[in-house]
Amino acid sequence: MRMRNLLFGMIVVTAAMMTSGNAAAGNSPLDTKAASMSTASAAELVALGDLYLEAMRLDEAKASYKAALKLEAKYGDAEFGLARIDITRGKLEKAKKACRGVWRRHKSESVGEVCAGWLWLTFDRSARAMDEFQKAIAKGDLARGKTGMAEAHRRRADDGIAISEYQEALTAGAGYIARLGLGLSQESNGDTAAALSSLKQATTLEPASCEAHFHYARVLRKGAEAVSHMQTAIAIRPNWTEAYAELGEILLKNANFAAAKSAFESAISTSRVKSGTTHLGLGKALFGLKKPMDSKKELETAIELVPNLVDAYLLLADIEYANGNSDASLEALDNAKAVAPGVVRVYLHTGETYFRLGRYTSANSYLKQAINLKPALSLAHMYMGDIACERRLYAAGQVHYDNALKGDMVGLSAASIVKRKAVCKSKHP
């Protein structure tokens, strides 16, 4: 027991040293979990190592697995953990050798097959991975075997099969990994409500899982709860570029532009490659903060990186319009149509802009094209009603307003359209 305490204490100290230089890493559920375990079995140390591995804190993961082996020599799951580090680093040959070693030393167990299965999954060899997971199932390891099979089907976009396999894995006693995978398959299958339920359960089953918090927040998309879970994911896995970018998107939906700006800046500073969508997000945040020129600079960077970013052109058009540069605004809209000729919001946005410019013939043309693409587009019908009333075509205006009320009503209230109808009707001679 004394040796166990000493070994685990060394891991906690190592973790503190690894994360002391990064403010985001302190006091995360993973660090709290590690510090709260006064004693740890080999299985607990492996589970901790798995969480460190998920968080891409590979040195800490390695320390946990090695400590497990000191407590229990030739512990197959700990050896598998060390092999997973090589798999994660993309070292195929080294990982293959490690998994073969695990299999040779533990032929009567399933851990060697599970190791090989995840190896082949990581390197996009799903058929070979399935063969290994079937061998694990044949040895009686339904929980890990079915989880691996489900993951292979999920990566093939066989969502229905994946969902069934994950459910079998959970019935067999699989943990949060299967619950997380189930949620992702349900999301891909179009069942958002079920996905949110599964992903939230994953965060409850393992509060120190950065992936569970990340995906729950990502699917939730907006609100204080989404922000909290994404921040937790970042605290567990510091410098996670994708999580910062997703946090920025959530904060944009919450209209918290200052915090969104900070999140996108963190995404940019932590990324090894430049991302057009991240610069677009920063441009949106700056626009929300009423900094149009700074926003324009980021949008231009986004377009330079990814020329077909339609939302960058649309926002750029709004900035140019607000600055009185109508020609530049229309040019940006033309560019949007060039890169996204079949996107409804491009025609709607163009129609709106021509309407604001008082160029009703062009506005009607683009709004009709938007309606052709999406007949129930209430906003387009409303603008066409406004144009008809401005042209004293009052009866036609009433028809357009009625069509708006029958449509999708996205971004509109019935009261606003009813008011427009009344104003238009009062002008009728």
Side-chain angles (χ1 to χ4, degrees), residues 251-334:
L251 291 164
L252 284 180
K253 290 181 176 69
N254 291 355
N256 189 342
F257 301 115
K261 172 179 175 291
S262 178
F264 285 120
E265 287 173 339
S266 293
I268 291 169
S269 68
T270 57
S271 179
R272 294 180 180 179
V273 295
K274 292 184 177 181
S275 165
T277 55
T278 305
H279 283 280
L280 170 59
L282 180 54
K284 289 179 178 180
L286 290 165
F287 185 76
L289 291 170
K290 303 188 186 307
K291 296 181 177 181
M293 291 301 99
D294 291 339
S295 174
K296 181 180 176 181
K297 180 180 177 182
E298 294 299 329
L299 297 173
E300 289 171 342
T301 299
I303 290 168
E304 183 180 345
L305 292 168
V306 185
N308 65 347
L309 275 179
V310 61
D311 284 346
Y313 290 113
L314 296 181
L315 185 52
L316 193 57
D318 288 342
I319 292 171
E320 297 291 8
Y321 175 85
N323 287 335
N325 300 325
S326 58
D327 288 343
S329 177
L330 295 175
E331 181 182 355
L333 292 168
D334 286 339

Side-chain angles (χ1 to χ4, degrees), residues 134-306:
Q134 288 288 13
K135 292 175 186 176
I137 292 168
K139 287 186 172 181
D141 193 348
L142 291 177
R144 290 195 295 189
K146 287 289 184 179
T147 298
M149 290 293 292
E151 181 67 14
H153 283 294
R154 185 179 76 81
R155 296 187 188 197
R156 285 181 164 186
D158 298 330
D159 297 314
I161 299 173
I163 288 169
S164 177
E165 296 277 17
Y166 278 125
Q167 289 170 336
E168 288 186 47
L170 288 164
T171 299
Y176 80 95
I177 292 293
R179 185 66 65 181
L180 173 59
L182 175 61
L184 294 176
S185 294
Q186 289 167 329
E187 178 199 9
S188 180
N189 206 36
D191 193 344
T192 304
L196 284 171
S197 176
S198 294
L199 294 170
K200 188 166 188 176
Q201 287 180 64
T203 67
T204 302
L205 287 169
E206 184 45 80
S209 166
C210 61
E211 292 281 354
H213 289 288
F214 172 84
H215 287 293
Y216 178 57
R218 180 185 57 76
V219 178
L220 198 58
R221 296 184 63 190
K222 63 181 179 180
E225 187 179 8
V227 171
S228 176
H229 280 275
M230 194 60 76
Q231 288 174 331
T232 299
I234 292 168
I236 295 170
R237 180 176 168 180
N239 300 322
W240 193 359
T241 298
E242 188 179 1
Y244 277 120
E246 289 289 348
L247 177 60
E249 296 294 344
I250 293 167
L251 291 164
L252 284 180
K253 290 181 176 69
N254 291 355
N256 189 342
F257 301 115
K261 172 179 175 291
S262 178
F264 285 120
E265 287 173 339
S266 293
I268 291 169
S269 68
T270 57
S271 179
R272 294 180 180 179
V273 295
K274 292 184 177 181
S275 165
T277 55
T278 305
H279 283 280
L280 170 59
L282 180 54
K284 289 179 178 180
L286 290 165
F287 185 76
L289 291 170
K290 303 188 186 307
K291 296 181 177 181
M293 291 301 99
D294 291 339
S295 174
K296 181 180 176 181
K297 180 180 177 182
E298 294 299 329
L299 297 173
E300 289 171 342
T301 299
I303 290 168
E304 183 180 345
L305 292 168
V306 185

Side-chain angles (χ1 to χ4, degrees), residues 324-354:
N325 300 325
S326 58
D327 288 343
S329 177
L330 295 175
E331 181 182 355
L333 292 168
D334 286 339
N335 289 332
K337 291 192 292 291
V339 300
V343 175
V344 175
R345 67 181 183 279
V346 173
Y347 293 98
L348 176 60
H349 210 98
T350 305
E352 287 180 89
T353 302
Y354 274 112

